[in-house]
Structures are given as C-alpha cells and as structure tokens.
Amino acid sequence: MSNSLNKIILIGKVVREPYVDNSRKTPFASLTLETTFSYIDPMGQERNEFTIHTVVFWGSHLVERVKQYAKKDSFIQAEGRVRLRRVLNPHGIVTGK
C-alpha cells in the first residue's frame, strides 16, 4: 500500500457547455473549468491568476449530474484524481496538455 494520495477538489466556473458522449459502453462527459487565484502584489495591486482545467466524468450517474448542473458560466465543485496528459510538441519538447 502506498503512503500517498492522488486527490483533488476544484471549485470553479464552467467555461463552455459540457461535451457528453453516451455512444460508448461507459458514457462520459468532459468540461472546461476555470479557477482563479487572487492576491495583492508587493505594489498593493490586486492580481488574479486564472487556470484552465479539463475535467472528465465517467459513468452514467456522473454524466447525468453534469447534464443537470454544469451549464456554461455556472460554478461547480469537482472531486477526483489528477491525471496529467503529456504531449510532444513539434520541437520535440514534452509539455502538459
């Protein structure tokens, strides 16, 4: 048994309408979630950092919840595990997607 935990909780705004695919054996939904980190910089100015996350939900129960609650510009909470996808760009450098 490992002494680590792969868990994340995201609370943010849904950027666009979710994509839902019921044509496979296991249905899934995918959405883009924007999270914001706000702080005051050393000059006293308020700053906001935005991060975009792709969130995938597997299974008919979760897909139904996404269809019911996750509309564009709504705020949702998503909990699950982190899975980073890496891609090779045209210059041969591995980057996160």
Side-chain angles (χ1 to χ4, degrees):
M1 178 184 239
S2 175
N3 290 329
S4 65
L5 176 66
N6 183 355
K7 182 175 182 177
I8 189 168
I9 299 172
L10 292 172
I11 301 171
K13 184 174 87 169
V14 178
V15 176
R16 63 182 65 91
E17 291 298 322
Y19 171 78
V20 176
D21 186 344
N22 288 311
S23 66
R24 299 174 184 219
K25 182 177 179 181
T26 303
F28 75 95
S30 175
L31 59 83
T32 304
L33 194 67
E34 176 187 87
T35 57
T36 308
F37 175 70
S38 300
Y39 63 94
I40 305 295
D41 71 11
M43 301 299 289
Q45 298 292 318
E46 182 177 357
R47 301 289 183 194
N48 295 307
E49 293 179 2
F50 300 96
T51 305
I52 300 295
H53 309 270
T54 300
V55 183
V56 180
F57 301 86
W58 292 95
S60 57
H61 178 70
L62 291 176
V63 170
E64 288 304 315
R65 294 282 181 131
V66 168
K67 287 176 14 183
Q68 184 178 2
Y69 295 109
K71 307 296 183 198
K72 181 180 177 186
D73 294 329
S74 65
F75 283 83
I76 66 165
Q77 174 180 324
E79 182 175 335
R81 70 180 178 97
V82 175
R83 180 174 167 212
L84 296 177
R85 290 184 270 175
R86 306 266 180 213
V87 294
L88 192 63
N89 72 16
H91 304 289
I93 300 171
V94 177
T95 59
K97 181 177 180 186

